[in-house]
Amino acid sequence: MNRNARLSRDGSFRLLGFLIVLIIFCILSPTFARFYTDYLWFESLDLAQVFERRITASLALAGAAALISVAFLLLNWSLVAHWIVPTERLRRTIPLSASLRSPIRGRPPQRTQIDVSARPVRIAFAVGAVLIGVIVGVSLSGEWQTLLLALDAVPFNFTDPIFGQDISLYVFQLPWYRVLLGRGQILLALALGGVLARYALFGEIRARGVTAHLSLLGSAWLVLMGCQRLLSRLALLQTQEGAIFGAGYTDIHARLPLYTVEAILFFAAAAILVINLFARQWRLLIGIGLFWVGLTLIGPLYPAMVQQFSVEPNEFALERPYIEHNIRYTREAYQLGDIAEQNYAADGILNQSELAADADVLRNVRLWDYRPLLRTYSQLQEIRLYYSFHSVDVDRYQLGDQPTQVMLAVRELDVDELATQAQTWINRHLVFTHGYGLALSSVNDITLEGLPKLLVRDIPPISDDPILDIARPEIYFGERTREYALVQAVEEEFDYPQGDSNVYTRYQGSAGVRLGNALRRTLLATRFSSTQVLLSSALSNDSRVLFHRDIRDRAETIAPMLWYDDDPYPIIADGRIIWLLDAYTWTDQFPYSQPMTGLNYIRNSIKVTIDAYSGEIHFYIIDPQDPVAATYARIFPMLFEDGSQMPEVLRSHWRYPETLFLYQSELYATYHMRDPQVFYNREDLWDPPHELVETEQQVMEPYYVTMRLPGSDEPEFLLIRPYVPRQKQNMVAWLYARCDGDVYGELGIFKLAKDRLVFGPLQIEGRVDQNPVISQQLSLWDQRGSRVLRGNLLVLPIQDTFLYIEPLYLEAESGQLPELKRVLVAYADRIAMAPTLDEALLQIFAEGGAGSAASGISAPAENESLEELAGRAWQHYQAAQACLEAADWSCYGREQSLLESALKLMVHEQ
């Protein structure tokens, strides 16, 4: 074999070895493993196109930016610089060695010049240009979303009040222009710095060609500065320098013309530097540089003088039109302009017949606060230590012929709660893989012990109504399900406990990434830092790994551009448990709109559903009029579905999201004032009221109720929140959002008359504490090894007046099992406390008789079961006691008679 053939073979072996090392590095690299397994995960959801769209846009942007950056830097650092200074040698001046220095004292040390090859310097600049250009390009890859929004922008058809530009310019295009401008300035600064360094090294800094090159780069820099000033003109509508957010008087009459003049001057200075390509004068370069520094330092003085000497002495008169802009655009950005304003006289007089007419509303008054109910559920229904309830949600179901408001919580599995000796890899990832079922109860049904009456309970789940039956109770995807799980393995999975033994199962769904061959296993093992995934004999090629099981994380991984609500809620639909997650489109670029916690535009345009068993996920656009959602639909048409395609069984459980309502109610407290002068003086500021919850005072949260809106015949599911004046406690208005059917999302406000006092929640709390009988009873309970917990005080608008209802719970200091023991009801100047809502209402409205009718307690019927008759007897006994406390003897006699009838029927049933 000749020498050339041997060298060729050695070179081939080296190349092959390099490729093998590269492949192994990629496989073992956590970044590559995460990237590839994420692709497999998207593919398992039939959403590979979403992943590819994001990656393609990111790579294309990074590649284009890197190519442009490398080409620009090479052009300036190598080609042009070498053309201007073509020397092949670097001339360096160095001092002579000590032995060769002049012996004459006082003479300066002698120096000599040597020539050094310029090639290493040129290579270093070329390599530096490539590396820095690639870094600049890669840094731009994360802006793929900004680019796609700019390219696929849907117009708002709503223009700004100053320049008359569509809002989409500010929301979609302007952020991309800022990105381009910022990267351009960085690239140009790097080019300038490198050019100066190269010419200095070659000792040619004063050459005429160098002056021309620097003039050209300086001209480009000034053009970018001029463009920056033009963008700053638009950005004035998104800043806060004066009385309101957005451009004010000083911005429009001082900063705006200043930016315009500065832009013209920068463009003119750039033109002068272009002329200097031929004149090639260093003095002109220095002069333009001093001009730029001076303009940057002196420019801000003019607006400051206008603000101090013109605006501040006469602020409202000059700022009035801009205050109007702020009010109008804030109301548009948060949909406050859609709130229907009406008056609520609050002068109605409740009586027993009207209460009877609203019996369906009173049946759905929420007596269970989610905080104590979560602890009660935990004690009654967690069953085993490794099960846990994360949160309690409010919803409604049509049970029989009645809409029923319920509270429910999903029973998830927390592997961290397994016994210490059970904390093995197989148990955590192959055996204990899922939670099971949920607990559900009516909002106001209680047992004789003061505990919730569960309509769905136990393991396997037992349901009291067919619509609540659950055929697939396994919870593989939930709010606290964060560990990866390996299913369809050799090991069977724990399903649920049954007596002293356990029931086991195998996952029947298609979710997850198939382990497949050794390469995929290696990548998955690298991702999860687990050698067991690679080596365990309990797994086969057909085994699947489930990850991204936290439902918010699951949605965020697919669509990170959306903001997701913190409170997803479960729905029982056709025997399955489906999570419904509200998603928000938002921006912080809406002109003249008041920012709140980092955004100044928000819509609940998208609802996400996730199957708790299969992990199947859908993104539904429910507000196609939202330009931000419409733009995302253009970018990802394969991801978003029309809201009309959501099954009706899920659609009937839509809730107006509390997070969005909080934003709107907080801002409306100020932006209900549309008169600029009233707004400027803050004459009519509102606040959400305070209440006592458990043992602490806190701001009242919005709450869901079933009630009739004034003028409506049918009760509906609403989200409401009262208002009080700033630093006052009387109620002045209540805001509502509708949740049902075609009226979903409609907002309204009922304003109370300002010439009459309507008690606010904290005033009702104070009246309760001042009632000697009630306060004495509460004090006694607090001193007997237990504590009294106050639930949400519900302000219930009814029949043009208000009922105030507050549950009281008793919790032993040594336990965590709150029991509902009393219900407080306040109306007008009356307050009552009784074991049940019906009894408390009887005490309030006993004067007119017909107490049972008013409370909604009907007479016992012969077709009722023994259990129902027992409950009926207990209700009539409690009602009789309430009548006795109210000294209403006719009412007491009626209830005793009905109690007797119920007892006789019970004897007959036996």
Side-chain angles (χ1 to χ4, degrees):
M1 183 181 294
N2 59 37
R3 184 171 180 272
N4 289 336
R6 187 167 58 253
L7 289 175
S8 176
R9 186 187 64 179
D10 291 345
S12 299
F13 283 153
R14 290 193 192 99
L15 178 60
L16 180 60
F18 172 76
L19 290 175
I20 292 173
V21 171
L22 181 62
I23 291 171
I24 294 173
F25 173 77
C26 287
I27 292 173
L28 298 180
S29 165
T31 302
F32 178 79
R34 177 170 288 274
F35 171 83
Y36 183 70
T37 54
D38 269 344
Y39 173 75
L40 295 177
W41 182 79
F42 274 85
E43 191 178 44
S44 72
L45 292 169
D46 292 328
L47 293 174
Q49 287 180 298
V50 175
F51 187 84
E52 291 164 1
R53 173 74 161 144
R54 285 163 48 179
I55 296 303
T56 301
S58 180
L59 291 178
L61 181 58
L67 284 174
I68 293 171
S69 301
V70 170
F72 184 74
L73 293 177
L74 282 175
L75 178 68
N76 284 279
W77 290 0
S78 296
L79 297 180
V80 174
H82 183 64
W83 176 68
I84 292 174
V85 184
T87 182
E88 296 295 330
R89 311 292 292 177
L90 281 177
R91 182 166 294 175
R92 302 292 302 275
T93 301
I94 61 172
L96 293 173
S97 65
S99 61
L100 298 177
R101 288 178 184 172
S102 170
I104 303 174
R105 293 184 178 180
R107 179 177 295 182
Q110 297 182 18
R111 295 176 177 270
T112 187
Q113 291 184 338
I114 64 170
D115 287 339
V116 180
S117 174
R119 186 180 178 191
V121 176
R122 290 204 306 272
I123 292 174
F125 272 93
V127 172
V130 172
L131 290 177
I132 294 174
V134 169
I135 291 172
V136 171
V138 170
S139 72
L140 201 61
S141 64
E143 299 292 343
W144 62 268
Q145 182 179 324
T146 310
L147 171 62
L148 294 179
L149 287 173
L151 293 176
D152 292 309
V154 172
F156 278 70
N157 296 319
F158 189 69
T159 58
D160 78 80
I162 304 300
F163 302 107
Q165 298 292 323
D166 190 87
I167 301 300
S168 60
L169 170 67
Y170 301 90
V171 174
F172 301 128
Q173 275 92 21
L174 194 55
W176 175 243
Y177 298 155
R178 290 194 185 107
V179 169
L180 285 181
L181 183 62
R183 292 305 194 281
Q185 288 176 320
I186 291 172
L187 190 60
L188 199 54
L190 289 170
L192 272 167
V195 164
L196 286 170
R198 172 162 179 145
Y199 289 142
L201 281 173
F202 279 88
E204 301 288 347
I205 195 69
R206 292 185 176 274
R208 288 175 61 82
V210 172
T211 304
H213 191 187
L214 293 177
S215 296
L216 184 61
L217 292 176
S219 176
W221 177 265
L222 291 172
V223 168
L224 292 183
M225 292 301 298
C227 292
Q228 186 182 57
R229 291 302 187 270
L230 293 179
L231 293 185
S232 296
R233 296 170 80 249
L234 297 172
L236 286 173
L237 278 60
Q238 302 168 320
T239 57
Q240 183 162 10
E241 297 290 344
I244 46 86
F245 182 85
Y249 181 90
T250 300
D251 296 310
I252 299 303
H253 293 86
R255 290 189 178 89
L256 183 60
L258 175 65
Y259 290 156
T260 304
V261 170
E262 286 182 341
I264 293 171
L265 292 175
F266 279 127
F267 291 141
I272 292 171
L273 285 186
V274 171
I275 295 172
N276 199 44
L277 288 172
F278 307 99
R280 302 186 180 185
Q281 294 293 319
W282 264 97
R283 292 178 181 177
L284 199 55
L285 274 174
I286 295 172
I288 293 296
L290 292 175
F291 156 77
W292 169 48
V293 173
L295 194 60
T296 303
L297 294 176
I298 297 172
L301 296 179
Y302 174 58
M305 294 173 65
V306 171
Q307 178 69 25
Q308 183 173 355
F309 297 109
S310 295
V311 176
E312 290 182 3
N314 195 22
E315 187 173 52
F316 173 70
L318 296 179
E319 297 284 10
R320 182 186 181 109
Y322 310 107
I323 294 174
E324 291 175 345
H325 297 332
N326 175 258
I327 294 172
R328 179 189 174 198
Y329 282 77
T330 299
R331 288 172 64 90
E332 173 67 25
Y334 294 95
Q335 294 181 297
L336 305 183
D338 297 339
I339 296 176
E341 297 185 358
Q342 302 175 64
N343 293 322
Y344 192 78
D347 58 359
I349 299 176
L350 279 178
N351 55 46
Q352 296 158 351
S353 61
E354 289 176 333
L355 280 180
D358 275 309
D360 48 359
V361 171
L362 297 175
R363 275 196 302 270
N364 284 293
V365 170
R366 180 171 59 81
L367 298 181
W368 281 103
D369 186 303
Y370 66 88
R371 284 160 286 240
L373 184 60
L374 179 61
R375 299 199 294 274
T376 300
Y377 275 179
S378 297
Q379 292 294 319
L380 299 178
Q381 284 292 303
E382 282 187 352
I383 311 297
R384 293 288 189 273
L385 289 174
Y386 41 77
Y387 287 129
S388 67
F389 293 108
H390 176 62
S391 64
V392 176
D393 296 293
V394 181
D395 200 359
R396 72 282 195 199
Y397 289 82
Q398 188 74 22
L399 302 183
D401 59 349
Q402 295 180 348
T404 303
Q405 193 172 327
V406 301
M407 305 188 79
L408 69 167
V410 168
R411 188 184 292 107
E412 297 190 55
L413 190 142
D414 186 354
V415 292
D416 291 331
E417 294 299 324
L418 291 171
T420 304
Q421 63 272 20
Q423 291 282 349
T424 65
W425 179 82
I426 285 182
N427 276 344
R428 290 179 68 91
H429 300 290
L430 275 74
V431 178
F432 291 90
T433 57
H434 58 275
Y436 207 87
L438 53 77
L440 181 149
S441 59
S442 169
V443 292
N444 64 1
D445 277 348
I446 58 172
T447 66
L448 299 181
E449 297 82 13
L451 299 174
K453 184 178 180 181
L454 293 165
L455 303 179
V456 180
R457 59 196 177 276
D458 299 342
I459 299 177
I462 299 171
S463 306
D464 284 357
D465 193 285
I467 202 171
L468 301 177
D469 288 344
I470 305 173
R472 271 292 178 201
E474 299 93 338
I475 310 297
Y476 282 90
F477 302 88
E479 292 183 85
R480 299 185 66 179
T481 309
R482 301 185 178 98
E483 293 274 358
Y484 69 90
L486 290 151
V487 296
Q488 297 174 358
V490 176
E491 292 277 345
E492 285 190 319
E493 303 167 51
F494 166 78
D495 200 21
Y496 59 87
Q498 190 176 61
D500 295 331
S501 62
N502 295 327
V503 176
Y504 292 87
T505 188
R506 289 187 183 278
Y507 182 65
Q508 302 299 316
S510 59
V513 175
R514 185 172 172 270
L515 289 187
N517 56 37
L519 176 61
R520 289 173 66 151
R521 273 206 191 195
T522 303
L523 290 168
L524 288 165
T526 302
R527 179 193 180 105
F528 298 116
S529 302
S530 171
T531 56
Q532 293 94 328
V533 173
L534 179 63
L535 303 175
S536 176
S537 60
L539 302 173
S540 69
N541 290 347
D542 292 326
S543 298
R544 292 177 173 272
V545 56
L546 307 180
F547 54 103
H548 293 307
R549 297 206 293 152
D550 180 302
I551 54 178
R552 291 185 77 252
D553 171 62
R554 195 171 186 81
E556 286 172 355
T557 303
I558 296 170
M561 61 280 189
L562 302 175
W563 175 37
Y564 297 94
D565 199 276
D566 290 330
D567 186 29
Y569 58 98
I571 300 168
I572 301 173
D574 298 328
R576 304 181 75 91
I577 297 174
I578 308 294
W579 292 100
L580 202 152
L581 174 62
D582 287 293
Y584 306 100
T585 56
W586 63 279
T587 182
D588 57 358
Q589 302 294 317
F590 203 93
Y592 273 110
S593 175
Q594 181 65 36
M596 184 176 176
T597 64
L599 57 84
N600 66 355
Y601 172 95
I602 185 171
R603 293 287 187 274
N604 173 222
S605 300
I606 298 168
K607 289 189 182 288
V608 185
T609 62
I610 304 105
D611 191 301
Y613 182 79
S614 69
E616 182 181 350
I617 187 168
H618 295 274
F619 290 77
Y620 296 98
I621 294 182
I622 65 168
D623 182 9
Q625 303 304 314
D626 173 23
V628 182
T631 300
Y632 287 139
R634 276 188 180 182
I635 298 171
F636 299 106
M638 72 295 291
L639 175 61
F640 295 103
E641 305 172 51
D642 189 87
S644 61
Q645 298 179 24
M646 181 183 286
E648 180 57 32
V649 67
L650 300 178
R651 171 68 180 80
S652 63
H653 289 275
W654 283 5
R655 302 185 320 189
Y656 197 85
E658 188 175 336
T659 299
L660 176 59
F661 194 72
L662 280 168
Y663 274 90
Q664 292 171 321
S665 61
E666 290 289 341
L667 284 161
Y668 195 77
T670 300
Y671 283 88
H672 71 277
M673 299 180 286
R674 283 176 286 179
D675 182 278
Q677 186 160 9
V678 174
F679 182 91
Y680 176 78
N681 292 324
R682 299 295 197 265
E683 296 177 21
D684 192 21
L685 285 174
W686 297 347
D687 275 328
H690 283 71
E691 63 172 339
L692 292 176
V693 175
E694 296 201 344
T695 58
E696 303 293 332
Q697 186 180 133
Q698 69 172 39
V699 175
M700 175 176 275
E701 301 171 350
Y703 51 91
Y704 293 99
V705 295
T706 298
M707 56 169 282
R708 286 180 177 83
L709 282 174
S712 176
D713 295 329
E714 296 297 325
E716 56 184 292
F717 194 61
L718 301 169
L719 181 61
I720 71 173
R721 192 183 206 186
Y723 284 113
V724 297
R726 176 68 56 87
Q727 298 180 344
K728 302 289 184 181
Q729 296 301 333
N730 59 291
M731 197 157 58
V732 293
W734 56 278
L735 181 70
Y736 68 86
R738 307 177 82 171
C739 301
D740 292 337
D742 295 335
V743 297
Y744 172 85
E746 291 186 6
L747 300 169
I749 185 83
F750 280 94
K751 297 182 177 181
L752 308 182
K754 295 184 178 181
D755 59 353
R756 64 186 304 126
L757 172 66
V758 177
F759 289 119
L762 205 56
Q763 290 175 321
I764 295 296
E765 302 277 18
R767 290 178 57 199
V768 168
D769 291 336
Q770 292 168 7
N771 184 289
V773 176
I774 295 175
S775 61
Q776 183 180 17
Q777 181 65 65
L778 299 184
S779 298
L780 286 173
W781 279 334
D782 270 333
Q783 296 172 4
R784 294 180 179 177
S786 59
R787 59 174 184 155
V788 176
L789 307 176
R790 296 194 182 193
N792 286 128
L793 174 62
L794 303 181
V795 180
L796 182 65
I798 184 171
Q799 298 291 345
D800 207 20
T801 185
F802 293 100
L803 274 178
Y804 304 85
I805 302 170
E806 183 177 58
L808 296 177
Y809 312 95
L810 201 60
E811 183 179 55
E813 291 180 355
S814 58
Q816 290 288 315
L817 184 62
E819 298 175 353
L820 177 59
K821 288 302 183 184
R822 292 292 185 271
V823 178
L824 290 165
V825 175
Y827 167 70
D829 59 349
R830 285 167 271 177
I831 295 179
M833 183 177 73
T836 67
L837 175 61
D838 289 330
E839 294 176 67
L841 290 172
L842 276 173
Q843 290 185 26
I844 293 287
F845 298 102
E847 296 174 1
S852 293
S855 67
I857 306 174
S858 58
E862 293 185 3
N863 59 354
E864 291 183 290
S865 66
L866 185 63
E867 183 181 355
E868 289 172 329
L869 287 170
R872 185 81 65 193
W874 173 249
Q875 288 178 320
H876 288 302
Y877 170 76
Q878 290 178 311
Q881 294 301 112
C883 296
L884 186 62
E885 291 183 22
D888 187 339
W889 301 109
S890 60
C891 168
Y892 178 75
R894 274 193 310 276
E895 292 299 333
Q896 285 290 325
S897 177
L898 291 170
L899 172 60
E900 182 181 0
S901 299
L903 293 173
K904 286 179 179 179
L905 287 172
M906 289 174 65
V907 173
H908 178 72
E909 283 288 324
Q910 290 179 330

